[in-house]
């Protein structure tokens, strides 16, 4: 067994409150001093098994980056995202509460949120309305002894308001975890956050945030275009894979529906079920991508019906529209590498239990720029399938299996 130096990082992977590795002398050295060699090996093996379970747990959600478990320090809970440390006075705060009450409010701005919360529900921004409903749900839940798990922990299924807010908060936290500053100070992200706070721009920004966070959690680095020097129509960002260095141009579109979220008009239940997204595809295909693979993501924004994905009216409409297109060939390939259709429509479900999202991935036989690694598509499929499932990284992993 390789000898561990006193000042080396502890093999258990523990972190200091500032996010830096804990030194061996300040962690397990004192606890393991004098321990027989076989007992020492057993302890380290158990540590590695826990870390392996943690990785497997996150991978099952389509998350291929690590999130640091919180620690208690002087009676307070200490969380870390990226190189930032958050000290919270509530030692029993869960990861979900940390996302909503700490990260979300920090990145969007407490002043902005409080200003929105003072408005009537009709005038309030959708994010603020979700925050208001989330707090009301928490108050009711804590009065229900039937869902109490322990002294300070309750467990219940998320409704539409809660999952809309929780998925947003996790997306913001995932992006914040990948950069050294607050998102409002990072090129590309600062504009995204501002668009997110505008009612007219919210829906498009929200979906771009969804896909950006998914790529970040898959281990991609995001590179935004510089509009001051780039004059041609381009995608939202370039996603660069950490390990393979594969670069992908990513474009996102979200179908607006009358009367839904902040889109003016009167909602039409029948029209909301349609997959009338061909104009969005055509607009996406006008973007210039250079010699890079091109991934298009389109959200249908349709109410959940409980049907299998391919039985949904919107899915039938999409398949029908593709059937009208000219058949691509090796000489006349499809301009896209992949089109992903998603339907993450928790906002329709309000007080009802939130339904799982849906997705369809279309990979052309003859793409202009192919990707040879099938693992990329498998990772995207896994991430899309698990979108809305926010892990409980602060819970003991033995309780999660």
């Amino acid at each position: 067994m390789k000898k561990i130096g006193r000042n080396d990082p502890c093999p258990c992977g523990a972190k200091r409150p500032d996010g830096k590795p804990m030194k061996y002398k300040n962690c397990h050295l004192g606890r393991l001093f004098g321990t027989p060699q076989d007992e020492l090996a057993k302890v380290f093996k158990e540590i590695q098994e826990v870390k392996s379970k943690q990785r497997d747990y996150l991978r099952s959600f389509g998350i291929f980056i690590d999130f640091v478990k919180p620690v208690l320090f002087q009676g307070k809970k200490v969380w870390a995202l990226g190189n930032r440390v958050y000290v919270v006075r509530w030692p029993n705060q869960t990861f979900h509460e940390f996302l909503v009450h700490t990260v979300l409010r920090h990145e969007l701005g407490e002043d902005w949120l409080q200003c929105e919360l003072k408005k009537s529900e009709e005038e309030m921004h959708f994010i603020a309305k979700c925050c208001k409903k989330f707090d009301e749900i928490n108050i009711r839940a804590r009065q229900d002894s039937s869902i109490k798990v322990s002294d300070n922990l309750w467990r219940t299924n998320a409704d539409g308001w809660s999952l809309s807010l929780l998925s947003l908060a996790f997306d913001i936290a995932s992006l914040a975890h990948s950069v050294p500053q607050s998102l409002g100070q990072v090129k590309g992200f600062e504009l995204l956050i501002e668009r997110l706070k505008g009612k007219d721009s919210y829906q498009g920004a929200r979906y771009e945030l969804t896909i950006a966070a998914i790529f970040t959690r898959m281990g991609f680095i995001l590179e935004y275009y510089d509009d001051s020097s780039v004059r041609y129509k381009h995608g939202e960002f370039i996603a660069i894979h950490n390990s393979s260095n594969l670069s992908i141009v990513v474009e996102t579109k979200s179908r607006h529906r009358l009367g839904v979220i902040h889109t003016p008009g009167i909602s039409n239940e029948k029209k909301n079920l349609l997959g009338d997204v061909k104009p969005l595809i055509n607009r996406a295909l006008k973007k210039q991508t250079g010699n890079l693979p091109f991934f298009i993501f389109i959200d249908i924004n349709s109410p959940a019906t409980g049907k299998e994905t391919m039985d949904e009216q919107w899915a039938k409409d999409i398949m029908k529209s593709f059937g009208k297109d000219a058949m691509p060939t090796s000489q006349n390939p499809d301009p896209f590498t992949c089109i992903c259709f998603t339907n993450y429509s928790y906002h329709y479900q309000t007080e009802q239990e939130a339904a799982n999202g849906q997705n369809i991935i279309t990979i052309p036989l003859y793409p202009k720029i192919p990707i040879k690694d099938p693992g990329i598509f498998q990772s995207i499929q896994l991430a899309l399938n698990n979108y809305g499932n926010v892990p409980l990284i602060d819970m003991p992993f033995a309780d999660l299996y």
Side-chain angles (χ1 to χ4, degrees), residues 133 140 159-161 348-353:
K133 298 292 185 181
R140 290 198 301 269
D159 64 6
W161 298 115
Y348 284 98
Q349 291 143 39
T350 59
E351 283 83 12
Q352 299 174 9
E353 182 178 336

Side-chain angles (χ1 to χ4, degrees), residues 208-263:
E208 180 183 332
L209 181 73
T210 295
I211 303 306
I214 283 175
F215 271 94
T216 296
R217 291 193 287 263
M218 289 195 302
F220 283 80
I221 298 171
L222 307 188
E223 183 178 288
Y224 273 82
Y225 293 86
D226 184 358
D227 286 329
S228 64
S229 60
V230 177
R231 302 301 181 186
Y232 56 84
K233 292 184 177 181
H234 53 75
E236 311 295 356
F237 54 83
I238 297 174
I240 305 167
H241 197 245
N242 250 329
S243 56
S244 67
N245 212 33
L246 170 69
S247 295
I248 298 171
V249 175
V250 178
E251 172 69 3
T252 66
K253 299 288 185 188
S254 180
R255 176 67 169 91
H256 286 62
R257 307 284 184 183
L258 295 178
V260 178
I261 306 182
H262 296 305
T263 301

